[in-house]
Amino acid sequence: MLPIKMNPEEQFKKIISHCKEYGFIFPSSEIYEGLAAVYDYGQNGVELKNNLRTYWWKSMIQMHQNIVGIDASIFMHPKTWKASGHVDGFSDPMIDNKDSKKRYRADQLLEDHQDKIRAKIEKELDKAAKRFGDSFNKELYSETNPKIVSYNETIEIIDDTLKKGLETGDLGLIKQLIEELEIVCPVSGSKNWTDVRQFNLMYSTQMTATDGESELYLRPETAQGIFVNFLNVQKSGRMKIPFGIAQTGKAFRNEIVARQFIMRMKEFEQMEMQFFVRPGEELKYYEYWKAIRLNWHLAMGTATDKYRFHDHVKLAHYANAAVDIEYHFPFGFKEVEGIHSRTNFDLSRHQEFSGKKMQYFDTELNENYIPYVIETSIGLDRIFLVQLFENLIEETLENGETRTVFKIHPALAPFKVAILPLLKKDGLPEFAQKIYNELKYDFQCFYEEKDTIGKRYRRQDAIGTPFCVTIDYDSLENMDVTLRYRDSMEQKRIKVSELQDIISQQVSWKSILNKIEE
Ligand code: ATP
């Protein structure tokens, strides 16, 4: 069986249509033409999403004695976002093309331009490698070939100008660079640009109270709900440093240039954990969490070379280390998770803005301090997308037919087992229902009587069900069934009494959680 090769665009289209056809993801309010960059999870999608969230939650809270969870509100006091810096600083530099009326993130236009230059460099290097054969010295050639040197200089100028423009707020520098590089609008092809302006990414709304109205924000990240509850949790849970607080929940960002399906949405879900440590010990824990978080991704069965760490070159002013975990999508390595050493910035700011002490008394050191924080922050929807790219496979079978199979880790699969009576008569459905009623307490089970068994197997393959149990006439006499494995398509005759154990072994949380620590 061979996976069929597809180009990235084809693969994306295939994933989006598969998600719709099999009840994973629908465009939001589709009967009204949908809402840009907002999606709804369907009957199979919600199961997978719940499982991914549970996997994260267990890996944090159940696996660590010193991490607890909370569920803070989406609405928070507006001062929270002043203190966190989001009111003044959480914005993207945008530029409009006057001809196409399309709006772009100015930094992304420049980064896309850098990618194009990098592709040109690669082309030059390929050509040279062919020309010089075995004697080709790639490094030396890159350093001395005038074309490549000049390309690299342009890449650097873009980095420097972006950094300077964003740090000083002189957005004219960015516009000037876009003009100098003659970057054109991908839609109109023209260079007729407006000035670059900053757009805040937070959505605001009003809250009415007896003393009037106040402006509130929909939270753009879940982390602040953890910071403002730091003392509540520490005191009520008698937590001792180092300890962590985790939470999952919706976050909202007015992403103007939302694209790539659930990769960048206006409403999405984050899973964040803040780990509070002694000042000076943060980099030790930063390394610890880098390793644990990478293992979390790999434990789902992904090949090691599909992930990489990408250190932030431009650190936020409050961070002393930051790295992204990137997954190799067919359209390039992209961030799926961030790990940040945030110093004591957030707690200090909340202390300043609220006037409440955000300190911890360390009994071992006999001193008070504001703890330092390591944050791990991952997008649940992006991980969902990774699962689709990684595991949705089209295979050519030995008989020449093709099948679409979603080879998700069994512990994460929306349904664990499908119970399928071969025929809809002669007591087979009743026997099958009995098995369903037995297994449903432990596993999310699917029951289906319609269509040929082959078609039913294909449908379960497409939603990732690791096991199918088929009930036939022999079952009634011998109390046995056919167990079919999703990945190998192997079929085994087993006793009904063995089902529970066989399924358990493969779908248990242990089967995935214990790989994180390996
Ligand atoms: P990006 O650079 O891709 O915009 P970010 O650096 O702003 O992401 P963070 O603020 O660090 O992202 O958020 C943590 C995680 O939340 C990201 O790694 C990503 O998985 C997820 N995330 C962020 N923005 C979105 C979005 N608009 N849609 C879906 N997931 C998102």
Side-chain angles (χ1 to χ4, degrees):
M1 287 175 294
L2 288 172
I4 295 172
K5 288 243 176 305
M6 280 183 237
N7 71 36
E9 253 166 56
E10 267 173 2
Q11 210 178 347
F12 225 135
K13 274 197 195 139
K14 166 102 194 147
I15 281 175
I16 294 171
S17 69
H18 187 89
C19 280
K20 187 158 174 226
E21 189 181 344
Y22 288 96
F24 282 97
I25 299 170
F26 310 122
S28 157
S29 21
E30 197 185 6
I31 56 166
Y32 296 104
E33 254 80 300
L35 191 60
V38 186
Y39 292 92
D40 296 342
Y41 284 81
Q43 67 278 19
N44 292 319
V46 71
E47 296 294 342
L48 172 54
K49 196 176 176 202
N50 285 345
N51 290 343
L52 286 165
R53 193 191 299 104
T54 303
Y55 170 42
W56 183 88
W57 190 261
K58 284 182 183 293
S59 77
M60 285 294 174
I61 287 146
Q62 202 167 314
M63 294 294 107
H64 292 93
Q65 288 173 11
N66 58 350
I67 301 183
V68 292
I70 61 163
D71 182 17
S73 297
I74 287 171
F75 288 139
M76 299 182 73
H77 194 286
K79 271 195 193 166
T80 309
W81 306 109
K82 241 353 224 171
S84 68
H86 284 81
V87 170
D88 298 321
F90 193 54
S91 46
D92 281 337
M94 310 300 296
I95 190 167
D96 294 16
N97 183 270
K98 291 185 200 162
D99 298 318
S100 67
K101 310 269 184 279
K102 291 271 175 206
R103 181 163 290 168
Y104 299 92
R105 262 176 67 176
D107 55 336
Q108 279 177 357
L109 275 184
L110 287 165
E111 281 161 12
D112 287 349
H113 191 74
Q114 282 179 319
D115 284 344
K116 283 188 191 141
I117 299 175
R118 285 192 193 100
K120 284 185 189 165
I121 294 177
E122 281 309 311
K123 233 180 172 176
E124 287 296 326
L125 288 171
D126 279 352
K127 265 200 302 191
K130 276 192 198 123
R131 198 169 350 123
F132 293 109
D134 287 347
S135 64
F136 181 56
N137 181 332
K138 192 171 168 183
E139 231 164 74
L140 189 66
Y141 192 81
S142 303
E143 281 165 16
T144 50
N145 177 278
K147 241 187 191 172
I148 296 184
V149 170
S150 146
Y151 283 150
N152 277 324
E153 273 168 11
T154 310
I155 289 176
E156 237 172 78
I157 290 172
I158 294 176
D159 274 340
D160 293 347
T161 314
L162 256 181
K163 189 165 186 240
K164 194 163 165 207
L166 293 177
E167 277 176 8
T168 61
D170 186 354
L171 301 176
L173 287 177
I174 298 177
K175 157 114 190 252
Q176 200 184 330
L177 186 63
I178 289 176
E179 285 174 340
E180 278 168 15
L181 294 170
E182 305 197 332
I183 294 178
V184 298
C185 165
V187 176
S188 66
S190 91
K191 290 177 256 176
N192 197 4
W193 297 109
T194 62
D195 286 341
V196 178
R197 283 168 298 163
Q198 287 285 13
F199 277 83
N200 196 294
L201 290 166
M202 283 197 295
Y203 286 103
S204 64
T205 184
Q206 272 78 40
M207 183 173 267
T208 311
T210 45
D211 56 351
E213 290 229 314
S214 57
E215 189 179 28
L216 290 191
Y217 297 101
L218 297 186
R219 67 179 177 200
E221 62 174 30
T222 54
Q224 298 305 323
I226 294 178
F227 288 123
V228 299
N229 277 299
F230 162 70
L231 280 184
N232 283 337
V233 175
Q234 190 271 318
K235 293 212 160 96
S236 60
R238 297 187 300 143
M239 307 299 291
K240 279 185 81 175
I241 270 180
F243 73 90
I245 306 178
Q247 96 161 313
T248 70
K250 285 282 174 95
F252 303 83
R253 294 184 187 178
N254 193 5
E255 305 270 12
I256 310 228
V257 194
R259 53 182 178 181
Q260 289 176 324
F261 195 36
I262 55 170
M263 184 80 190
R264 187 171 299 285
M265 296 196 287
K266 297 189 183 221
E267 175 182 341
F268 59 102
E269 192 164 338
Q270 285 189 317
M271 308 194 285
E272 297 195 295
M273 194 277 299
Q274 317 289 324
F275 200 69
F276 300 92
V277 304
R278 273 184 193 155
E281 293 195 344
E282 67 277 12
L283 293 180
K284 176 176 91 183
Y285 287 107
Y286 174 71
E287 292 305 327
Y288 169 82
W289 281 108
K290 264 177 78 173
I292 290 279
R293 292 307 305 150
L294 181 62
N295 279 354
W296 183 89
H297 291 269
L298 298 176
M300 287 186 271
T302 321
T304 321
D305 62 359
K306 285 290 192 74
Y307 283 101
R308 73 173 186 200
F309 286 122
H310 182 247
D311 286 310
H312 287 207
V313 195
K314 297 172 248 169
L315 286 179
H317 58 280
Y318 50 81
N320 61 9
V323 69
D324 292 335
I325 296 181
E326 295 184 335
Y327 172 76
H328 197 186
F329 289 96
F331 43 90
F333 272 100
K334 300 283 173 216
E335 169 182 347
V336 290
E337 170 157 11
I339 298 161
H340 313 121
S341 174
R342 298 179 68 102
T343 67
N344 61 3
F345 173 79
D346 302 87
L347 289 180
S348 302
R349 293 277 290 187
H350 286 305
Q351 174 166 297
E352 186 188 329
F353 278 72
S354 67
K356 308 270 170 8
K357 282 236 173 306
M358 286 291 183
Q359 293 191 338
Y360 169 83
F361 181 68
D362 192 322
T363 46
E364 276 170 39
L365 299 180
N366 204 20
E367 78 181 54
N368 267 311
Y369 54 78
I370 301 179
Y372 271 44
V373 170
I374 303 299
E375 161 181 86
T376 73
S377 171
I378 177 172
L380 177 51
D381 312 270
R382 277 198 200 170
I383 286 304
F384 193 110
L385 190 61
V386 169
Q387 295 313 309
L388 290 166
F389 272 108
E390 187 65 23
N391 297 308
L392 190 63
I393 291 165
E394 206 143 294
E395 283 179 343
T396 306
L397 306 177
E398 270 149 22
N399 63 5
E401 280 179 21
T402 56
R403 72 159 181 161
T404 302
V405 53
F406 187 35
K407 291 189 172 176
I408 181 95
H409 189 293
L412 302 170
F415 289 87
K416 309 303 182 203
V417 52
I419 319 276
L420 314 170
L422 189 61
L423 297 169
K424 216 173 143 185
K425 58 180 185 182
D426 300 334
L428 299 188
E430 289 75 12
F431 193 90
Q433 277 291 351
K434 259 198 207 152
I435 297 179
Y436 180 92
N437 286 333
E438 209 28 59
L439 296 180
K440 73 179 179 189
Y441 296 103
D442 289 310
F443 313 112
Q444 185 74 39
C445 303
F446 198 100
Y447 181 84
E448 200 175 30
E449 297 174 348
K450 279 193 297 285
D451 285 334
T452 64
I453 198 71
K455 276 195 188 151
R456 281 183 271 169
Y457 284 157
R458 289 288 179 274
R459 274 203 293 273
Q460 294 307 316
D461 286 345
I463 64 168
T465 310
F467 298 105
C468 287
V469 168
T470 307
I471 291 92
D472 55 23
Y473 288 110
D474 288 344
S475 305
L476 305 184
E477 283 185 14
N478 306 331
M479 290 300 281
D480 59 8
V481 290
T482 301
L483 184 69
R484 176 195 184 260
Y485 291 80
R486 175 195 68 194
D487 297 352
S488 61
M489 298 196 297
E490 186 193 352
Q491 301 191 9
K492 273 190 196 160
R493 202 70 192 171
I494 61 147
K495 291 282 173 211
V496 172
S497 56
E498 292 174 310
L499 275 174
Q500 175 97 17
D501 277 356
I502 296 179
I503 299 168
S504 267
Q505 266 174 23
Q506 293 213 16
V507 308
S508 74
W509 286 112
K510 189 173 181 184
S511 71
I512 182 165
L513 286 168
N514 66 6
K515 294 210 180 73
I516 302 176
E517 283 150 13
E518 270 171 11

